[in-house]
Amino acid sequence: MKSDSSFKESAAHSPRLTRHQQAVLDLLHQQTDALPAQELYSLLRQRQAIGLATVYRALETLKLRGLIKSRMGANGEAFYSLVVSDQHYLTCLQCGQSFPLDPCPVQELETHLQPSVPFKIYYHTLEFFGLCEPCVQSID
Ligand SMILES: [Zn+2]
Ligand SMILES: [Zn+2]
């Protein structure tokens, strides 16, 4: 019988992930920025044979398990990253840059919301859209 101790260090490795799901998760662990699926796909392809459809399926499964999250960029493309902590952004509609907002402006809301709804909250995002300073200048 297999002992549990072999899994001790891997809190991030949730049970029953497929090899491909684990590969996608491992790759996201190594990223500092959120990446679109296409980019994750080309990074994975450098290491192993994997299809784009498989990458999309793995991303979807990981997302439903609360291990990763996706965020829409200004161009409508989804950017994937680990669920490490909640993130908050100011996103520029012109250049597409996102500027993190710290600290969390709505943590208290989540803390109060969780016990009052029949719903397991994994994380939240908060994003404001507009123009960054250089883009405001360039438009004037
Ligand atoms: Zn901008
Ligand atoms: Zn927050």
Side-chain angles (χ1 to χ4, degrees):
M1 255 191 101
K2 215 170 191 185
S3 121
D4 277 343
S5 62
S6 59
F7 293 103
K8 231 172 215 158
E9 43 88 44
S10 54
H13 293 205
S14 80
R16 292 169 192 277
L17 288 184
T18 66
R19 191 166 51 85
H20 285 135
Q21 289 161 0
Q22 190 63 58
V24 170
L25 191 61
D26 289 345
L27 178 65
L28 283 168
H29 267 285
Q30 296 154 16
Q31 309 306 313
T32 46
D33 296 316
L35 291 178
Q38 283 283 356
E39 210 164 313
L40 292 167
Y41 167 63
S42 52
L43 287 169
L44 283 164
R45 278 297 293 269
Q46 295 167 13
R47 307 169 181 196
Q48 63 192 281
I50 189 168
L52 181 58
T54 306
V55 173
Y56 274 111
R57 270 201 308 275
L59 288 168
E60 195 54 32
T61 303
L62 293 170
K63 194 165 82 171
L64 290 179
R65 293 196 184 181
L67 296 170
I68 67 168
K69 61 186 174 180
S70 66
R71 192 173 66 81
M72 281 304 171
N75 63 358
E77 192 172 27
F79 287 76
Y80 295 90
S81 59
L82 291 181
V83 173
V84 188
S85 59
D86 297 314
Q87 283 169 330
H88 321 88
Y89 299 94
L90 303 168
T91 295
C92 178
L93 291 169
Q94 176 156 283
C95 67
Q97 277 194 87
S98 289
F99 306 91
L101 264 182
D102 278 315
C104 175
V106 295
Q107 191 54 55
E108 233 177 284
L109 174 64
E110 181 173 316
T111 308
H112 285 96
L113 187 61
Q114 180 60 92
S116 69
V117 291
F119 189 95
K120 173 76 191 110
I121 297 175
Y122 283 152
Y123 64 89
H124 64 258
T125 62
L126 180 67
E127 193 160 21
F128 294 96
F129 293 92
L131 293 175
C132 70
E133 188 61 26
C135 287
V136 168
Q137 305 289 345
S138 76
I139 276 174
D140 284 347

